[in-house]
Amino acid sequence: MKDFILKAENVSYTVDKRNSFSGFESVEIIKNISFGIERGNVLGIAGESGSGKSTLAKILTGIYSPSSGRIETKFIKDWSNSQPKPIQILFQNDGELINPFRKVKDVLNEAFELKTGTKNNFSKDVNELLNILQLPQTINENKGSQLSGGEQQRIALARILIIEPELLILDEPFSSQDVESQLNLINLIKKIKADFNLNVICISHDLRILRNFADEILIMFKGEIAENGITNVVFANPKHDYTKFLLSAESLSLSYNEIQSFHLKYEQDQRNKNS
């Protein structure tokens, strides 16, 4: 029997958008999403911009509430009286949330104070965490504005790890990085996953990374699940046209016209299906 830390059942999310003709109209961003993440696994979520990946992540973390459906969780610790939440998300631009005028040691010490509920000097704990994240202790004296993009990302990740969440969601963590930086980050995440007993959801448009990082894959298209399953099985034998399209696009074998043709054909098929 599988041990799921999280299960989503028929989750939908609808927003009202202004329409110049009728005032407002309801737009369904997420449509009847159902999946589970097995304890100890890395779940990859892939799909192009606008497919609903980040919206789903915000629903899982409680930033958004689903319009319908439900999410069940099974955590090891009791989080009912905890201010930090058991599910944390590292956004693509999380580094920008680090105060550019504050020193790293103050940012991380504050996170330890939040976790413990006590005012103290946690310099020893801060230094141990920096070692885990392969950052020099001299970075403690740097202000947020003095950090590189990669350093900002790791300090943002350190702040999350202090909370010791049970599920970590990574939202496009590899974007704007070269291949070597991506590989270093993958190895680091694998290490902290083991050290902190973390469960991980990784959202990325890069199938090359998810192919070798995620145990299971969920392909999203226009707010729905196009396909999901064990990563190497899905990639070896894709069933949905969109999965096949993504794999073809990954190999850079599609022209711009072919990409546009796929979307036009899909939209026409949907209109025919609903007529």
Side-chain angles (χ1 to χ4, degrees), residues 80-126:
S80 56
N81 296 319
S82 174
Q83 183 177 351
K85 301 302 180 184
I87 303 176
Q88 293 290 322
I89 182 168
L90 181 67
F91 288 108
Q92 181 177 349
N93 60 346
D94 244 11
E96 298 174 7
L97 301 180
I98 298 174
N99 191 318
F101 304 107
R102 297 191 66 197
K103 291 184 177 181
V104 167
K105 64 180 181 182
D106 297 328
V107 171
L108 298 184
N109 201 82
E110 183 180 67
F112 276 111
E113 290 177 351
L114 176 64
K115 174 189 174 183
T116 62
T118 61
K119 293 283 186 179
N120 207 337
N121 185 342
F122 294 95
S123 57
K124 181 179 178 181
D125 301 283
V126 168

Side-chain angles (χ1 to χ4, degrees), residues 49-219:
S49 297
S51 61
K53 306 187 302 297
S54 294
T55 299
L56 176 59
K58 291 175 182 177
I59 291 173
L60 297 180
T61 54
I63 297 174
Y64 294 163
S65 297
S67 302
S68 61
R70 63 176 182 169
I71 296 170
E72 294 182 358
T73 54
K74 183 180 177 184
F75 299 121
I76 294 175
K77 294 186 291 184
D78 180 8
W79 293 84
S80 56
N81 296 319
S82 174
Q83 183 177 351
K85 301 302 180 184
I87 303 176
Q88 293 290 322
I89 182 168
L90 181 67
F91 288 108
Q92 181 177 349
N93 60 346
D94 244 11
E96 298 174 7
L97 301 180
I98 298 174
N99 191 318
F101 304 107
R102 297 191 66 197
K103 291 184 177 181
V104 167
K105 64 180 181 182
D106 297 328
V107 171
L108 298 184
N109 201 82
E110 183 180 67
F112 276 111
E113 290 177 351
L114 176 64
K115 174 189 174 183
T116 62
T118 61
K119 293 283 186 179
N120 207 337
N121 185 342
F122 294 95
S123 57
K124 181 179 178 181
D125 301 283
V126 168
N127 289 335
E128 288 178 357
L129 187 54
L130 292 177
N131 287 334
I132 291 173
L133 293 174
Q134 301 166 8
L135 290 168
Q137 293 183 11
T138 53
I139 205 172
N140 264 321
E141 298 298 325
N142 288 1
K143 296 181 179 180
S145 59
Q146 297 173 304
L147 304 177
S148 68
E151 289 171 338
Q152 288 183 345
Q153 184 183 50
R154 295 197 183 202
I155 296 303
L157 178 58
R159 192 168 50 184
I160 289 174
L161 293 178
I162 290 170
I163 298 171
E164 297 185 46
E166 295 193 40
L167 178 58
L168 174 63
I169 301 177
L170 305 169
D171 187 10
E172 296 287 359
F174 308 105
S175 62
S176 304
Q177 292 187 352
D178 58 35
V179 174
E180 182 179 0
S181 298
Q182 290 175 348
L183 181 60
N184 289 337
L185 183 57
I186 288 174
N187 290 334
L188 176 61
I189 293 172
K190 286 180 177 179
K191 182 179 186 304
I192 63 175
K193 177 180 179 293
D195 291 348
F196 288 81
N197 195 29
L198 272 175
N199 302 276
V200 176
I201 294 176
C202 182
I203 298 172
S204 178
H205 65 277
D206 195 329
L207 297 187
R208 294 170 299 177
I209 291 175
L210 295 180
R211 183 189 297 273
N212 298 305
F213 181 47
D215 301 293
E216 297 188 33
I217 190 77
L218 188 156
I219 307 293

Side-chain angles (χ1 to χ4, degrees), residues 231-244:
T231 303
N232 58 5
V233 174
V234 170
F235 284 179
N237 188 27
K239 305 294 185 184
H240 195 280
D241 285 344
Y242 183 63
T243 309
K244 297 174 184 177

Side-chain angles (χ1 to χ4, degrees), residues 243-275:
T243 309
K244 297 174 184 177
F245 164 77
L246 282 183
L247 291 170
S248 298
E250 178 195 11
S251 66
L252 303 179
S253 61
L254 292 184
S255 67
Y256 174 81
N257 288 336
E258 287 173 319
I259 292 172
Q260 295 303 305
S261 294
F262 174 86
H263 284 275
L264 291 173
K265 181 179 182 300
Y266 178 87
E267 291 170 0
Q268 183 61 54
D269 289 345
Q270 291 299 106
R271 286 193 291 269
N272 293 339
K273 186 185 298 183
N274 295 328
S275 62

